[in-house]
Amino acid sequence: MPFSYHETIAYRSEPLWHDGCKRNIGVMQTTPMDKHGNFNFGIANSFNYADMRTTDICIVEINHTMPYCLGGSEESINIKDVDYIIEGSNVPIFALPPSEPSETEKKIAQHIMPLIEDRSCLQLGIGGIPNAIGMMIAESDLKDLGINSEMFCDAFVKMCEAGKVTNKYKTRDKGRSTYTFCFATQETYDFMDNNPQCASYNADYTNNPKYIQTEEKVVAINNIVEIDLLSQVASETNGLRQISGTGGQLDFNIGAFESKGGKGILAFESTFTRKNGEVVSRIKPLLTPGSVVTIPRTCVHYVATEYGIVNLKGRLVWNRTEQLINLAAPQFRDDLIKEAKEMKIWSRTNK
């Protein structure tokens, strides 16, 4: 179901947009019931509360390994709204194994670090680049950072434990790091458990561009699948192969640009290696046929690879082309120039 992540609440709220959004039965994993009769959604707030309130039959499944994540809002559902409870043995919630960023990811992070200022409000996506940035911030002189992110990731724990995050200068939720879900290591889950410095909110609160832009110096950093010389970005498909959903990438890219002093950064390795060993450029003349445009070229702000970082806002088509080719791996640049000439987006003054 294609949508931007902040729209999930509208899809799940009454009145429902159409019958296709209707759930007959909803089942969600939660923490055990607390003394007030509340079941906490733990690491996944997102649209859970709105979803459960609009189902015919509401069922919660108890998972004793789920961290209790404080709100915020809509982080729990009360027993008066629950029809059935599933109890029994359960496996631990999925946790990512600890990982170290690669040397390429560290290079990309080094290009991004100068754009992060004291009192910046951060959003980080998944992967090695956010972890590399978190490590660098933890060892930097930056101070008084804030967090308002779709996902709470391992990098934030490193930053918090190093004293870099205070949230003192946020517009909303001063003193607390806001997020709507977490996908991380067990260490991060343990950090979040009953931690009043973290606040779980629904996806509309964390991801809606109209709220994101109220914070100053928002820095949103997200990965992509590929980008073409027209600066169109695909992040959810590779051709007709679905990889992910739109998620909050477009939400935060727009919100960061509208933020005073904000920066929306798309950070990615310039190449990837196929299973047969072939190295392919992520910067292409045109997106792979069938690929879905996640971020239109009008909304692209900063782009970063291991070869540098550039602000594409306000640049003409031919200049965007030149800057993107400079961010591509050297072995692909001549072919990209040739394709750009055939596409008639390469000026005679380009070099």
Side-chain angles (χ1 to χ4, degrees), residues 7 18 40 71 93-94 136 151 161 206 233 283-284 303:
E7 296 175 334
H18 55 77
N40 185 270
I93 59 172
F94 181 79
M136 291 179 185
M151 184 178 81
E161 291 180 341
T206 57
V233 174
I283 299 175
K284 301 184 173 185
V303 178

Side-chain angles (χ1 to χ4, degrees), residues 56-351:
D56 294 328
I57 300 174
C58 176
I59 305 172
V60 297
E61 180 183 5
I62 305 304
N63 192 324
H64 292 273
T65 69
M66 182 79 78
Y68 196 101
C69 296
L70 303 175
S73 79
E74 301 192 356
E75 78 283 0
S76 301
I77 189 167
N78 192 269
I79 192 169
K80 68 178 183 295
D81 297 313
V82 173
D83 296 300
Y84 296 95
I85 301 169
I86 302 172
E87 294 187 277
S89 60
N90 44 55
V91 298
I93 59 172
F94 181 79
L96 292 172
S99 63
E100 289 292 321
S102 67
E103 290 304 313
T104 301
E105 289 167 336
K106 290 178 182 177
K107 285 182 181 178
I108 297 170
Q110 287 170 350
H111 294 310
I112 294 172
M113 280 295 292
L115 274 66
I116 303 175
E117 309 170 70
D118 292 346
R119 304 184 184 182
S120 291
C121 186
L122 302 181
Q123 178 262 327
L124 298 177
I126 194 169
I129 296 173
N131 284 335
I133 290 171
M135 292 169 57
M136 291 179 185
I137 288 176
E139 297 170 356
S140 73
D141 295 328
L142 288 168
K143 59 182 182 294
D144 290 327
L145 300 177
I147 294 172
N148 179 73
S149 187
E150 172 183 322
M151 184 178 81
F152 196 93
C153 60
D154 296 322
F156 291 141
V157 177
K158 297 182 180 71
M159 293 158 48
C160 290
E161 291 180 341
K164 304 302 177 182
V165 177
T166 64
N167 291 301
K168 287 196 303 186
Y169 295 96
K170 288 173 63 179
T171 302
R172 306 179 301 161
D173 299 288
K174 291 185 185 296
R176 300 202 295 177
S177 299
T178 50
Y179 66 96
T180 195
F181 74 88
C182 179
F183 185 55
T185 61
Q186 186 61 48
E187 179 186 2
T188 298
Y189 296 158
D190 293 341
F191 176 85
M192 298 168 67
D193 187 41
N194 272 294
N195 187 343
Q197 293 182 345
C198 301
S200 170
Y201 278 95
N202 68 40
D204 180 66
Y205 187 92
T206 57
N207 285 47
N208 198 317
K210 71 181 181 183
Y211 299 139
I212 295 170
Q213 68 182 3
T214 64
E215 303 290 348
E216 293 190 8
K217 298 183 181 180
V218 172
V219 179
I221 303 169
N222 291 284
N223 202 345
I224 71 171
V225 174
E226 61 185 22
I227 184 171
D228 66 18
L229 295 182
L230 297 172
S231 62
Q232 301 177 114
V233 174
S235 302
E236 52 199 284
T237 65
N238 182 7
L240 294 174
R241 184 168 72 92
Q242 192 82 35
I243 298 172
S244 177
T246 302
Q249 186 173 114
L250 181 60
D251 293 337
F252 275 93
N253 213 64
I254 294 172
F257 177 72
E258 297 293 341
S259 159
K260 183 178 180 180
K263 307 170 185 78
I265 303 171
L266 303 174
F268 58 99
E269 295 186 40
S270 65
T271 64
F272 71 94
T273 304
R274 290 180 171 149
K275 291 181 180 179
N276 62 5
E278 180 187 7
V279 178
V280 179
S281 177
R282 292 188 186 276
I283 299 175
K284 301 184 173 185
L286 292 171
L287 297 180
T288 302
S291 287
V292 170
V293 175
T294 305
I295 300 184
R297 61 181 183 170
T298 51
C299 295
V300 175
H301 198 184
Y302 283 87
V303 178
T305 72
E306 65 269 35
Y307 297 103
I309 187 167
V310 64
N311 181 359
L312 293 185
K313 281 286 188 179
R315 293 186 184 271
L316 300 172
V317 172
W318 67 265
N319 191 223
R320 287 170 177 247
T321 303
E322 180 181 46
Q323 296 296 331
L324 287 168
I325 291 174
N326 285 336
L327 296 180
Q331 67 267 34
F332 294 104
R333 293 178 187 173
D334 286 343
D335 286 340
L336 288 170
I337 291 172
K338 179 181 176 182
E339 293 284 352
K341 288 179 178 177
E342 292 181 3
M343 294 166 64
K344 302 189 186 306
I345 54 173
W346 187 256
S347 168
R348 288 181 299 170
T349 60
N350 281 45
K351 296 182 181 179

